[in-house]
Structures are given as C-alpha cells and as structure tokens.
Amino acid sequence: MKLLLATSAAALALLGSGCATSVNTVSRSEPQATPSYVADQRVITDSSLGRKVAIVSVNEAKVSGDLLKIQVTLENRSTKPQAFTYKFDWIATDGMELSAPTGGWKQIQLEGRETRAVAAVATSPKAVDFRLKLREN
Amino acid sequence: MKLKFATALSAAALALLATGCATKNDAKYVDSQGPNTIVSLNSINIQDWNNAADKLVASLLESNVLERAPSLPAVMAVSRIRNNTQQQVDTDALTKKIRVALNKSGKIVTTTTLGADGKVEDAVAADAGAMQSFMAGEKQKTTLPYYTLSGKLLEDRVRSGSTQQTTYTFQLSLTTVKDGLAVWEDETQITKQGQRSSVGW
C-alpha cells in the first residue's frame, strides 16, 4: 500500500513538472568585467510576466564614439521555457522619442532558469535615454 | 408575449456584447513594427527584415570600424546582395533599412550615383552631375565610396513529419575600397517552425 502511494506521488510530481528543464550555468567566481550599471525604474502592469521574468541588471556603454548601447539582463524565474517579446524605445535630450528604422517588437525565449541579456544600440547620437518594454506572448 | 420579447432582446444584447463591435474578416491596420504582424513559414516577413537589419546594424556600430574612416560621414556604395533563396525578394528591404539607420547615426552617407553593374539608383543625379561639370568646362568629379556593402541571403528548409523548419540567413560584408579588405562581416539567422505553409502571429 505504502509503495503504491509513493509511486502515485512520484508519478503525480512528474506529471506536475511536465517536461520542464532548467539551465545549469558556470562562470568566473570573481568577474573581471566592470559594467556601468544604470539606476532604473520599473513599471509592472503584467504581474504574471513580472513574476516569471526578472530584470537582473541594466548597464550601458557608448559604441562608435557617441551611440548609446543598453543591455538588460533578464532571468527566467520558472523552470519552464518562457517566450515573450521586447522592444527598445530611444529618447532624445528634449524628451522626444526617436524613430528607429529597424525598431519593433522582437521575439525571445528563455529556457528554464536561464539568464540572458537583450541589448540594443541607438542609431542616433541624440539618444540619451531608453525604455524597454516586455510583453508576454 | 412581453416575456418572449424581453428574452429575445436580452439574447441579442448578450450576443452583441460577446462579439463586441468587431466584425470578422474585416481588413484592419496593424503596426508594421508591432507584435501582431503575420508570420509565414514560406516567406521572409517584414518583421524578419526588421530584425535582421537591426541585428546587423547593431553589430556594425559595435565593431567601431566606421570610426576608422578618414572623415565622417564616410561614403558607402551598396554593391550586390545575392539572393540565394527560393523566393523573389527585393533586397532593398534589408539594405534600405541599414542605409537609413547608418545615415541617422551620422557615420555613413550612401552614394546613389554609383551602383553594382553600372546600375545607378538615381540616374537624374548622375546625369545632372555630368551636365553641371560639362557646362562649367570641368572634368566630372565623382565622390568615390570609402566602403562598399555586399551580402547574400540564404535559405534552409528541413522537415520532420508534418513540422517544417525554415531558416533564413542574412550575410553582410563591409569592404574598404582602397585595399579590398572586408573590415566588418556578420550574419544573422531567423528560424521559423510550423506545420506546412502555416501562418501565425
């Protein structure tokens, strides 16, 4: 009887977890990189997505001399793959949003517990600020 | 009688509420850069051109090679972009986005009076330039490009059961005219999976 119960519990646990797999990682214990972190503010309107995908950090750099590059590191908090879309907007010194010829929503899928960075380069030197939007599929 | 009428009226109201104000199969506008554009397996969609151009422009700008030009903005000519896919596509869908982005960055201006196989993009500008030089009794001055942009589009199709996978590869090279060396090269891939000839969002 006990064996039957244990087997059933194991089967249920297996069923519950489905085919979820998560990503194991290894990296340098004392990172040599010295990123320039950006103090950010977050607006969560989709709490479900907010729980699934965490924003780990935001850092910036200048490329090609005067173009702003932003990198946002995201982490999938669940053990199941999460597919979502993201979009970067760029804002000029005067607060005006800049049009980007190659902008638009982009698809990304994070595997279970995976951490990955999404990055974009502003195509105008006028860009000083950014806004990253995340949207569940 | 009154009860029947009230029931029918309520049912009609409920049906209207359920359907909303939308009617099926009506054409509508969607944002070309939005998340609701159609995805098809058998063609390169607008979001594919957008994503490929975005990745390649970011890669080119991050490489910092454009800063090596003696003066900015550097002049670039668009060379041949070979289409090795099964589809008939206008490669300007990729190159124009890249040109616009590079132009906005202030790093590159593209010549429109010089093109692959002698085909110029702006024939009037080329003729007017020649005419202007002729009238002034001077030799025609042509601004030669410092860079040329060339590339290739590839397609790979595989099938497993009823699932089909299509990968489009976008390859680009930026060559310095003076020495013919590719100072920047990159490629980006877009892979789509689905049932045969399926479309989605």
Coordinates of all heavy atoms in Angstrom, one line a residue, chain A residues 46-124:
Chain A
D46 N 1.8 43.9 -15.9 CA 1.5 42.5 -16.1 C 2.3 41.7 -15.0 O 3.4 41.4 -15.1 CB 1.9 42.0 -17.4 CG 1.5 40.5 -17.7 OD1 1.2 39.8 -16.7 OD2 1.6 40.1 -18.8
S47 N 1.6 41.5 -13.8 CA 2.3 40.9 -12.7 C 2.7 39.5 -12.9 O 3.6 39.0 -12.4 CB 1.4 41.0 -11.4 OG 0.1 40.5 -11.7
S48 N 1.9 38.8 -13.8 CA 2.2 37.4 -14.2 C 3.6 37.4 -14.9 O 4.4 36.5 -14.5 CB 1.1 36.9 -15.1 OG 1.5 35.7 -15.7
L49 N 3.8 38.2 -15.8 CA 5.1 38.3 -16.5 C 6.2 38.7 -15.6 O 7.3 38.2 -15.6 CB 5.0 39.2 -17.8 CG 6.2 39.4 -18.6 CD1 6.7 38.1 -19.2 CD2 6.1 40.5 -19.6
G50 N 5.8 39.7 -14.7 CA 6.8 40.2 -13.7 C 7.3 39.1 -12.8 O 8.5 39.1 -12.4
R51 N 6.4 38.2 -12.5 CA 6.8 37.0 -11.6 C 7.7 36.1 -12.4 O 8.6 35.5 -11.8 CB 5.6 36.3 -11.1 CG 5.0 37.0 -9.9 CD 3.9 36.1 -9.2 NE 2.8 35.7 -10.1 CZ 1.7 36.5 -10.2 NH1 1.6 37.6 -9.6 NH2 0.8 36.1 -11.1
K52 N 7.4 35.9 -13.7 CA 8.1 34.9 -14.5 C 9.5 35.3 -14.9 O 10.5 34.6 -14.9 CB 7.3 34.5 -15.7 CG 6.0 33.7 -15.4 CD 5.3 33.5 -16.7 CE 3.9 33.1 -16.5 NZ 3.0 33.2 -17.6
V53 N 9.5 36.6 -15.3 CA 10.8 37.1 -15.9 C 11.3 38.3 -15.0 O 10.6 39.3 -14.9 CB 10.6 37.5 -17.4 CG1 11.9 38.1 -17.9 CG2 10.2 36.4 -18.2
A54 N 12.5 38.1 -14.5 CA 13.0 39.2 -13.6 C 14.1 40.0 -14.4 O 14.8 39.4 -15.2 CB 13.7 38.5 -12.4
I55 N 14.1 41.3 -14.1 CA 15.2 42.1 -14.6 C 16.3 42.1 -13.6 O 16.2 42.6 -12.5 CB 14.7 43.5 -14.9 CG1 13.6 43.5 -16.0 CG2 15.8 44.4 -15.4 CD1 12.7 44.7 -16.2
V56 N 17.4 41.5 -14.0 CA 18.6 41.3 -13.1 C 19.4 42.6 -13.0 O 19.7 43.1 -12.0 CB 19.5 40.2 -13.6 CG1 20.7 40.0 -12.7 CG2 18.7 38.9 -13.6
S57 N 19.7 43.2 -14.2 CA 20.5 44.4 -14.2 C 20.4 45.1 -15.5 O 20.0 44.6 -16.5 CB 22.0 44.1 -14.0 OG 22.5 43.3 -15.0
V58 N 20.7 46.4 -15.5 CA 20.7 47.2 -16.7 C 22.1 47.9 -16.8 O 22.5 48.6 -15.8 CB 19.6 48.3 -16.7 CG1 19.6 49.1 -18.0 CG2 18.2 47.7 -16.4
N59 N 22.8 47.8 -17.9 CA 24.1 48.5 -18.0 C 24.2 49.2 -19.4 O 23.5 48.8 -20.3 CB 25.3 47.6 -17.7 CG 25.4 46.4 -18.5 OD1 24.5 45.6 -18.4 ND2 26.4 46.3 -19.2
E60 N 25.0 50.2 -19.4 CA 25.2 51.0 -20.6 C 26.6 51.1 -21.1 O 27.5 50.9 -20.3 CB 24.6 52.4 -20.4 CG 25.4 53.2 -19.4 CD 24.8 54.6 -19.2 OE1 24.1 55.1 -20.1 OE2 25.1 55.2 -18.1
A61 N 26.8 51.5 -22.4 CA 28.1 51.7 -22.9 C 27.9 52.6 -24.1 O 26.8 52.8 -24.6 CB 28.7 50.4 -23.4
K62 N 29.0 53.2 -24.6 CA 29.0 54.0 -25.8 C 29.7 53.2 -26.9 O 30.8 52.7 -26.7 CB 29.6 55.4 -25.6 CG 28.8 56.4 -24.8 CD 27.7 57.0 -25.7 CE 26.7 57.8 -25.0 NZ 27.0 59.1 -24.6
V63 N 29.1 53.1 -28.1 CA 29.7 52.5 -29.2 C 29.8 53.4 -30.4 O 29.1 54.4 -30.4 CB 29.0 51.2 -29.7 CG1 28.9 50.2 -28.5 CG2 27.6 51.5 -30.2
S64 N 30.8 53.2 -31.2 CA 31.0 54.1 -32.4 C 31.2 55.5 -31.9 O 30.7 56.4 -32.6 CB 29.9 53.9 -33.4 OG 30.3 53.0 -34.4
G65 N 31.8 55.7 -30.8 CA 32.0 57.1 -30.3 C 30.9 57.7 -29.5 O 31.1 58.1 -28.3
D66 N 29.7 57.8 -30.1 CA 28.7 58.6 -29.4 C 27.3 57.9 -29.4 O 26.3 58.6 -29.2 CB 28.6 60.0 -30.1 CG 28.4 59.9 -31.6 OD1 28.3 58.7 -32.1 OD2 28.3 60.9 -32.3
L67 N 27.2 56.6 -29.7 CA 25.9 56.0 -29.7 C 25.7 55.2 -28.5 O 26.6 54.4 -28.1 CB 25.8 55.1 -31.0 CG 26.0 55.8 -32.3 CD1 26.0 54.8 -33.5 CD2 24.9 56.8 -32.6
L68 N 24.5 55.3 -27.9 CA 24.2 54.7 -26.6 C 23.8 53.2 -26.9 O 23.0 52.9 -27.7 CB 23.0 55.4 -26.0 CG 22.5 54.9 -24.6 CD1 23.6 55.0 -23.5 CD2 21.3 55.7 -24.2
K69 N 24.5 52.3 -26.1 CA 24.1 50.9 -26.1 C 23.6 50.5 -24.7 O 24.2 50.9 -23.7 CB 25.3 50.0 -26.5 CG 25.0 48.5 -26.5 CD 26.1 47.7 -26.8 CE 25.7 46.2 -26.7 NZ 26.8 45.3 -27.0
I70 N 22.4 49.9 -24.7 CA 21.8 49.4 -23.4 C 21.7 47.9 -23.5 O 21.3 47.3 -24.5 CB 20.4 50.1 -23.2 CG1 20.6 51.6 -23.1 CG2 19.7 49.5 -22.1 CD1 21.2 52.1 -21.8
Q71 N 22.1 47.3 -22.3 CA 22.0 45.9 -22.2 C 21.2 45.6 -20.9 O 21.5 46.1 -19.8 CB 23.3 45.2 -22.1 CG 23.3 43.7 -21.8 CD 24.7 43.1 -21.8 OE1 25.3 42.8 -22.8 NE2 25.2 42.9 -20.6
V72 N 20.1 44.8 -21.1 CA 19.3 44.5 -19.9 C 19.4 42.9 -19.7 O 19.1 42.2 -20.7 CB 17.8 44.9 -20.2 CG1 16.9 44.5 -19.0 CG2 17.7 46.4 -20.4
T73 N 19.8 42.5 -18.5 CA 19.9 41.1 -18.3 C 18.6 40.6 -17.6 O 18.1 41.2 -16.6 CB 21.1 40.9 -17.3 OG1 22.3 41.5 -17.9 CG2 21.4 39.4 -17.1
L74 N 18.1 39.6 -18.2 CA 16.8 39.0 -17.8 C 17.0 37.6 -17.3 O 17.9 36.9 -17.7 CB 15.8 39.0 -19.0 CG 15.6 40.3 -19.7 CD1 14.8 40.0 -21.0 CD2 14.7 41.2 -18.8
E75 N 16.1 37.2 -16.3 CA 16.2 35.9 -15.8 C 14.8 35.2 -15.8 O 13.9 35.9 -15.3 CB 16.8 35.9 -14.4 CG 16.9 34.5 -13.8 CD 17.1 34.5 -12.3 OE1 17.2 35.6 -11.7 OE2 17.2 33.4 -11.7
N76 N 14.7 34.0 -16.3 CA 13.5 33.3 -16.2 C 13.5 32.6 -14.9 O 14.3 31.8 -14.6 CB 13.5 32.2 -17.4 CG 12.2 31.4 -17.3 OD1 11.3 31.6 -16.5 ND2 12.2 30.4 -18.2
R77 N 12.5 33.0 -14.1 CA 12.4 32.5 -12.7 C 11.8 31.1 -12.6 O 11.9 30.5 -11.6 CB 11.6 33.5 -11.8 CG 12.4 34.7 -11.4 CD 11.5 35.6 -10.6 NE 12.3 36.6 -10.0 CZ 11.7 37.7 -9.4 NH1 10.4 37.8 -9.4 NH2 12.5 38.6 -8.9
S78 N 11.1 30.7 -13.7 CA 10.5 29.4 -13.6 C 11.4 28.4 -14.3 O 12.3 28.7 -14.9 CB 9.1 29.5 -14.3 OG 9.3 29.4 -15.7
T79 N 11.0 27.1 -14.1 CA 11.8 26.0 -14.7 C 11.2 25.7 -16.1 O 11.8 24.8 -16.8 CB 11.7 24.8 -13.9 OG1 10.3 24.5 -13.6 CG2 12.5 25.0 -12.6
K80 N 10.2 26.4 -16.5 CA 9.6 26.2 -17.9 C 10.1 27.3 -18.8 O 10.3 28.4 -18.4 CB 8.1 26.2 -17.8 CG 7.5 25.0 -17.1 CD 6.0 25.2 -17.0 CE 5.4 24.0 -16.2 NZ 4.0 24.2 -15.9
P81 N 10.2 26.9 -20.1 CA 10.7 28.0 -21.1 C 9.6 29.1 -21.1 O 8.4 28.8 -21.0 CB 10.7 27.2 -22.4 CG 10.8 25.8 -22.0 CD 10.1 25.6 -20.8
Q82 N 10.1 30.3 -21.3 CA 9.2 31.5 -21.4 C 9.5 32.2 -22.6 O 10.6 32.7 -22.8 CB 9.4 32.4 -20.2 CG 9.0 31.9 -18.8 CD 7.5 31.6 -18.7 OE1 6.7 32.2 -19.3 NE2 7.2 30.7 -17.8
A83 N 8.4 32.3 -23.5 CA 8.6 33.1 -24.7 C 7.9 34.5 -24.5 O 6.8 34.5 -24.0 CB 8.0 32.4 -25.9
F84 N 8.6 35.5 -24.9 CA 8.0 36.8 -24.8 C 8.6 37.8 -25.9 O 9.5 37.4 -26.6 CB 8.0 37.4 -23.4 CG 9.5 37.5 -22.9 CD1 10.2 38.7 -23.0 CD2 10.1 36.5 -22.3 CE1 11.5 38.8 -22.6 CE2 11.3 36.5 -21.8 CZ 12.1 37.7 -21.9
T85 N 8.0 38.9 -26.0 CA 8.6 39.9 -27.0 C 9.1 41.1 -26.2 O 8.6 41.4 -25.1 CB 7.5 40.3 -28.0 OG1 6.4 40.7 -27.3 CG2 7.2 39.2 -29.0
Y86 N 10.0 41.8 -26.8 CA 10.5 43.0 -26.2 C 10.8 44.1 -27.2 O 10.9 43.8 -28.4 CB 11.8 42.7 -25.4 CG 13.0 42.4 -26.2 CD1 13.9 43.4 -26.6 CD2 13.2 41.1 -26.7 CE1 15.0 43.1 -27.4 CE2 14.3 40.8 -27.5 CZ 15.2 41.8 -27.8 OH 16.3 41.4 -28.6
K87 N 10.9 45.3 -26.8 CA 11.1 46.4 -27.7 C 11.8 47.6 -27.0 O 11.5 47.9 -25.8 CB 9.7 46.9 -28.2 CG 9.8 48.1 -29.2 CD 8.3 48.4 -29.5 CE 8.3 49.4 -30.7 NZ 8.6 50.8 -30.3
F88 N 12.8 48.1 -27.6 CA 13.5 49.3 -27.1 C 13.0 50.6 -27.7 O 12.9 50.6 -29.0 CB 15.0 49.2 -27.4 CG 15.8 48.3 -26.4 CD1 16.0 47.0 -26.6 CD2 16.3 48.9 -25.2 CE1 16.7 46.2 -25.7 CE2 17.0 48.1 -24.3 CZ 17.2 46.8 -24.5
D89 N 12.8 51.6 -26.9 CA 12.5 52.9 -27.5 C 13.6 53.8 -27.0 O 14.2 53.6 -26.0 CB 11.2 53.5 -26.8 CG 9.9 52.7 -27.3 OD1 10.0 52.2 -28.4 OD2 8.9 52.7 -26.6
W90 N 13.9 54.8 -27.9 CA 15.0 55.7 -27.6 C 14.5 57.1 -27.4 O 13.6 57.6 -28.2 CB 16.1 55.7 -28.7 CG 16.6 54.3 -28.8 CD1 16.3 53.4 -29.8 CD2 17.6 53.7 -28.0 NE1 17.0 52.2 -29.6 CE2 17.8 52.4 -28.5 CE3 18.3 54.1 -26.8 CZ2 18.7 51.5 -27.9 CZ3 19.2 53.2 -26.2 CH2 19.4 51.9 -26.8
I91 N 15.0 57.9 -26.5 CA 14.5 59.2 -26.1 C 15.7 60.2 -26.2 O 16.8 60.0 -25.7 CB 13.8 59.2 -24.8 CG1 12.6 58.3 -24.8 CG2 13.4 60.6 -24.3 CD1 12.4 57.5 -23.6
A92 N 15.4 61.3 -26.9 CA 16.4 62.4 -27.0 C 16.5 63.3 -25.8 O 15.7 63.2 -24.9 CB 16.1 63.2 -28.3
T93 N 17.5 64.2 -25.8 CA 17.7 65.1 -24.6 C 16.4 65.9 -24.4 O 16.1 66.2 -23.2 CB 18.8 66.1 -25.0 OG1 19.8 65.4 -25.7 CG2 19.4 66.7 -23.7
D94 N 15.7 66.3 -25.4 CA 14.5 67.1 -25.2 C 13.3 66.3 -24.8 O 12.2 66.8 -24.8 CB 14.2 67.9 -26.5 CG 14.1 67.1 -27.7 OD1 14.1 65.8 -27.6 OD2 14.0 67.7 -28.8
G95 N 13.5 65.0 -24.6 CA 12.4 64.1 -24.2 C 11.6 63.5 -25.3 O 10.6 62.8 -25.1
M96 N 11.9 63.9 -26.5 CA 11.2 63.4 -27.7 C 11.7 61.9 -28.0 O 12.9 61.7 -28.0 CB 11.4 64.2 -28.9 CG 10.9 65.6 -28.8 SD 9.1 65.6 -28.7 CE 8.7 67.3 -28.5
E97 N 10.7 61.1 -28.3 CA 11.0 59.7 -28.7 C 11.5 59.7 -30.1 O 11.0 60.4 -31.0 CB 9.8 58.8 -28.6 CG 10.1 57.4 -28.6 CD 8.8 56.5 -28.3 OE1 8.2 56.8 -27.2 OE2 8.5 55.7 -29.1
L98 N 12.6 59.0 -30.3 CA 13.2 59.0 -31.7 C 12.7 57.8 -32.5 O 12.5 56.7 -31.9 CB 14.8 58.8 -31.5 CG 15.4 60.0 -30.8 CD1 16.8 59.6 -30.3 CD2 15.5 61.2 -31.7
S99 N 12.5 58.0 -33.8 CA 12.0 56.9 -34.6 C 13.2 56.1 -35.0 O 14.3 56.6 -35.3 CB 11.3 57.5 -35.9 OG 12.3 58.1 -36.7
A100 N 13.0 54.8 -34.9 CA 14.1 53.9 -35.3 C 13.7 53.0 -36.5 O 12.7 52.4 -36.5 CB 14.4 52.9 -34.1
P101 N 14.5 53.1 -37.6 CA 14.1 52.4 -38.8 C 14.1 50.9 -38.6 O 13.4 50.2 -39.4 CB 15.1 52.8 -39.8 CG 16.3 53.3 -39.0 CD 15.8 53.8 -37.7
T102 N 14.8 50.4 -37.7 CA 14.9 48.9 -37.5 C 14.3 48.5 -36.2 O 14.6 47.4 -35.7 CB 16.4 48.4 -37.6 OG1 17.1 49.1 -36.6 CG2 17.0 48.7 -39.0
G103 N 13.6 49.4 -35.6 CA 13.0 49.0 -34.2 C 11.9 48.0 -34.4 O 11.8 47.3 -35.4
G104 N 11.1 47.9 -33.4 CA 10.0 46.9 -33.4 C 10.1 45.9 -32.4 O 11.1 45.7 -31.7
W105 N 9.0 45.1 -32.2 CA 9.0 44.0 -31.2 C 9.8 42.9 -31.7 O 9.7 42.5 -32.8 CB 7.6 43.6 -30.9 CG 6.8 44.7 -30.2 CD1 6.1 45.7 -30.8 CD2 6.6 44.9 -28.8 NE1 5.5 46.5 -29.8 CE2 5.8 46.0 -28.6 CE3 7.1 44.1 -27.7 CZ2 5.5 46.4 -27.3 CZ3 6.7 44.6 -26.4 CH2 5.9 45.7 -26.2
K106 N 10.6 42.3 -30.8 CA 11.4 41.1 -31.1 C 11.1 40.0 -30.2 O 10.8 40.2 -29.0 CB 12.9 41.5 -30.9 CG 13.3 42.5 -32.1 CD 14.6 43.0 -31.9 CE 14.9 44.0 -33.1 NZ 14.0 45.1 -33.2
Q107 N 11.2 38.8 -30.8 CA 10.8 37.6 -30.1 C 12.1 37.1 -29.3 O 13.2 37.1 -29.8 CB 10.4 36.6 -31.1 CG 9.8 35.3 -30.6 CD 8.3 35.5 -30.3 OE1 7.7 36.3 -31.0 NE2 7.8 34.8 -29.3
I108 N 11.8 36.5 -28.1 CA 12.9 35.9 -27.4 C 12.3 34.7 -26.5 O 11.2 34.8 -26.1 CB 13.7 36.9 -26.5 CG1 14.9 36.2 -25.9 CG2 12.8 37.5 -25.4 CD1 15.9 37.1 -25.1
Q109 N 13.1 33.7 -26.4 CA 12.6 32.6 -25.5 C 13.8 32.3 -24.5 O 14.9 32.0 -24.9 CB 12.3 31.3 -26.3 CG 11.9 30.2 -25.3 CD 11.3 29.0 -26.0 OE1 10.3 29.2 -26.8 NE2 11.8 27.8 -25.8
L110 N 13.4 32.3 -23.2 CA 14.4 32.0 -22.2 C 14.0 30.6 -21.7 O 12.9 30.3 -21.4 CB 14.3 32.9 -21.0 CG 14.7 34.4 -21.2 CD1 14.7 35.1 -19.9 CD2 16.1 34.5 -21.8
E111 N 15.0 29.7 -21.7 CA 14.8 28.4 -21.1 C 14.7 28.5 -19.6 O 14.9 29.5 -19.0 CB 16.0 27.5 -21.5 CG 16.3 27.3 -23.0 CD 15.1 26.8 -23.7 OE1 14.4 25.9 -23.2 OE2 14.8 27.3 -24.8
G112 N 14.3 27.4 -19.0 CA 14.0 27.4 -17.6 C 15.2 27.9 -16.8 O 16.3 27.4 -17.0
R113 N 15.0 28.9 -15.9 CA 16.1 29.5 -15.0 C 17.2 30.0 -15.8 O 18.3 30.2 -15.3 CB 16.6 28.5 -14.0 CG 15.5 27.9 -13.1 CD 14.7 28.9 -12.4 NE 15.4 29.9 -11.7 CZ 15.7 29.8 -10.4 NH1 15.4 28.8 -9.7 NH2 16.4 30.8 -9.8
E114 N 17.0 30.3 -17.1 CA 18.1 30.9 -17.9 C 18.2 32.4 -17.7 O 17.3 33.1 -17.5 CB 17.9 30.6 -19.4 CG 19.1 31.0 -20.3 CD 18.8 31.0 -21.8 OE1 17.7 30.8 -22.2 OE2 19.8 31.1 -22.5
T115 N 19.5 32.8 -17.7 CA 19.7 34.3 -17.6 C 20.4 34.7 -18.9 O 21.3 34.0 -19.4 CB 20.7 34.6 -16.5 OG1 20.1 34.2 -15.2 CG2 21.0 36.1 -16.4
R116 N 19.8 35.7 -19.6 CA 20.3 36.1 -20.8 C 20.1 37.6 -21.0 O 19.2 38.2 -20.4 CB 19.6 35.4 -22.0 CG 20.4 35.4 -23.3 CD 19.7 35.2 -24.5 NE 18.9 34.0 -24.5 CZ 18.2 33.6 -25.6 NH1 18.2 34.4 -26.7 NH2 17.5 32.5 -25.6
A117 N 21.0 38.3 -21.7 CA 20.9 39.7 -21.9 C 20.3 40.1 -23.2 O 20.5 39.4 -24.2 CB 22.3 40.3 -21.8
V118 N 19.4 41.1 -23.3 CA 19.0 41.6 -24.5 C 19.6 43.0 -24.6 O 19.7 43.7 -23.6 CB 17.4 41.7 -24.6 CG1 16.8 40.3 -24.6 CG2 16.8 42.5 -23.5
A119 N 20.1 43.4 -25.8 CA 20.8 44.6 -26.0 C 20.3 45.3 -27.2 O 19.8 44.7 -28.2 CB 22.3 44.4 -26.0
A120 N 20.5 46.6 -27.3 CA 20.2 47.4 -28.5 C 21.1 48.6 -28.5 O 21.6 49.1 -27.5 CB 18.7 47.8 -28.5
V121 N 21.4 49.1 -29.7 CA 22.2 50.2 -30.0 C 21.3 51.3 -30.6 O 20.6 51.1 -31.5 CB 23.4 49.9 -30.9 CG1 24.2 51.2 -31.2 CG2 24.3 48.8 -30.3
A122 N 21.4 52.5 -30.0 CA 20.6 53.6 -30.6 C 21.2 54.0 -31.9 O 22.5 54.1 -31.9 CB 20.6 54.8 -29.6
T123 N 20.4 54.2 -32.9 CA 21.0 54.6 -34.2 C 21.2 56.1 -34.3 O 21.7 56.5 -35.4 CB 20.2 54.0 -35.3 OG1 18.9 54.4 -35.2 CG2 20.3 52.5 -35.5
S124 N 20.9 56.8 -33.3 CA 21.1 58.3 -33.4 C 21.9 58.7 -32.2 O 21.6 58.3 -31.0 CB 19.7 59.0 -33.4 OG 19.9 60.4 -33.1

